Every structure is written in structure tokens, then in C-alpha cells.
Amino acid sequence: MIQDSAAWDCAICLSVPECHVHQCTNGHCFCAGCLSKLRRCPVCRIDLTDPPIRCIAAEQAIAAIPAACQFCYEVMTRGALTMHEQECSQAPTVCEAAAHGYTGTGMRAEANVEHNRSRRHSFPATCQFCHEVITHVALAMHEHECSQAPTVCEAAAHGCTWAGLRWEANEHHAICLRVICLQMARHTQAEYEVEWDELQRQLAEMAL
């Protein structure tokens, strides 16, 4: 098998084909993209076929040629090179927040989870209720208190079917009979607990 990549150079672009290899009927090979622009073989001038002839043997031979990663310089076959460089830990990369103004760069191995997490808090985020743009870290608290968020009556578990926006709830609670009854019941319960505690205290003093 030929190991010299120059032996497979396309006669048109003078580079080793990176993808499919096409050939004329006399066996001259070229990059599929280069040959698609011509009607005749640039070497022997024979008319090209339609559809073109793909040379799988040449593709397999090119894939087996040794090549070095441009980032870590590890030597492997050309067939494995593209996938390796896409994942190479020495390849340059940018922060995942680059679209939001972060300009830091480094190797892929340095872009670890902690690096990304430490910057995620300042990503912009939009409230789903009022559509205000705030920081990612403040979003949960904002939506929990957002006046435009939907809510139900405080007495929903006791039969009130009112539903509306959070800013409307106070006005509703002021006139809802079920809410008023709940508030009175809580007040009565609180008074009862105070009286009960006082009685327990007096009984304890009498026991002395």
C-alpha cells in the first residue's frame, strides 16, 4: 500500500482528497468536488461519465495513510484524524458564554465543568411571565415573586375557584369570604394556643 500522501494528490487542487474520490474511465483519480466542475479528465482528456465513477479503493488507501494531529501531534491514520481533532484535548476553544461577551480562550482540556459553571450565573435569562431580561442566577427568585405570574386563591383548597395574576390576588383576598373565614380561624386558633400555654404555665406553678 502506498504510504506517501503525495502519490494521491489531486491533479487539479494538488491536495490529498479529504472526502470522496472520483476517477475517469482510465483510472485517473481526483477530488469529487474538483472533478465535478469538469467534463473531461484533465490528464487524459477522456470524457467523464455521468454519474461519476467513485474510487473506493483510493479512498481506503488515503484513509490508511499516517497523519499527525495539528494540536497534539499524535500520529494516526488520516481516516481517524478528523474525529480525533474534533475531540482533541489540546485543541483551542472558547468559553461557552462567548456569545454573551466572554473573550477568554484556552485548550479544550481547560474548559472544564467548573469553568463553565462559574460563569453561568451571569448569563441573560428571560422571565416566562413578564418577559423581563435578568441574570440566570436571579431568574428562579424573580419568577417566584413576579407580579405577572399566574396564581390561585389562598382558599383554593377550601373551594374558591378564583385564578388570576399574582398582583391581583391581594384585591381578591380582601373580598373573598373563604379567605376571610380562614384568617378568622387562624386568629382564633392563635388566641386559643396562647390561652392554653398560659393555663399550662399556671398549672405548673400550682404544682410547685
Side-chain angles (χ1 to χ4, degrees), residues 69 72 74 76 80-89 108:
C69 171
C72 67
E74 180 181 347
M76 63 201 74
L81 183 63
T82 300
M83 180 64 70
H84 169 83
E85 290 186 343
Q86 289 176 353
E87 301 176 352
C88 181
S89 62
R108 187 173 285 123

Side-chain angles (χ1 to χ4, degrees), residues 36-160:
S36 66
K37 304 172 185 177
L38 303 177
R39 294 184 178 181
R40 292 184 178 181
C41 173
V43 176
C44 65
R45 309 304 297 171
I46 193 171
D47 290 341
L48 298 175
T49 60
D50 186 15
I53 302 171
R54 182 179 174 184
C55 186
I56 297 179
E59 294 174 7
Q60 293 175 340
I62 292 171
I65 296 174
C69 171
Q70 61 178 314
F71 307 121
C72 67
Y73 308 111
E74 180 181 347
V75 177
M76 63 201 74
T77 63
R78 289 182 64 89
L81 183 63
T82 300
M83 180 64 70
H84 169 83
E85 290 186 343
Q86 289 176 353
E87 301 176 352
C88 181
S89 62
Q90 303 300 308
T93 187
V94 297
C95 176
E96 68 174 32
H100 302 291
Y102 294 104
T103 58
T105 61
M107 294 186 297
R108 187 173 285 123
E110 299 170 335
N112 53 37
V113 175
E114 291 301 322
H115 164 81
N116 294 326
R117 184 183 295 121
S118 66
R119 290 161 173 77
R120 189 173 292 119
H121 68 278
S122 58
F123 287 8
T126 303
C127 173
Q128 61 180 313
F129 307 123
C130 67
H131 308 298
E132 179 182 350
V133 178
I134 54 180
T135 60
H136 186 275
V137 71
L139 181 63
M141 180 63 72
H142 171 85
E143 290 186 342
H144 180 71
E145 301 176 348
C146 181
S147 62
Q148 300 299 314
T151 188
V152 295
C153 178
E154 181 181 319
H158 300 280
C160 182

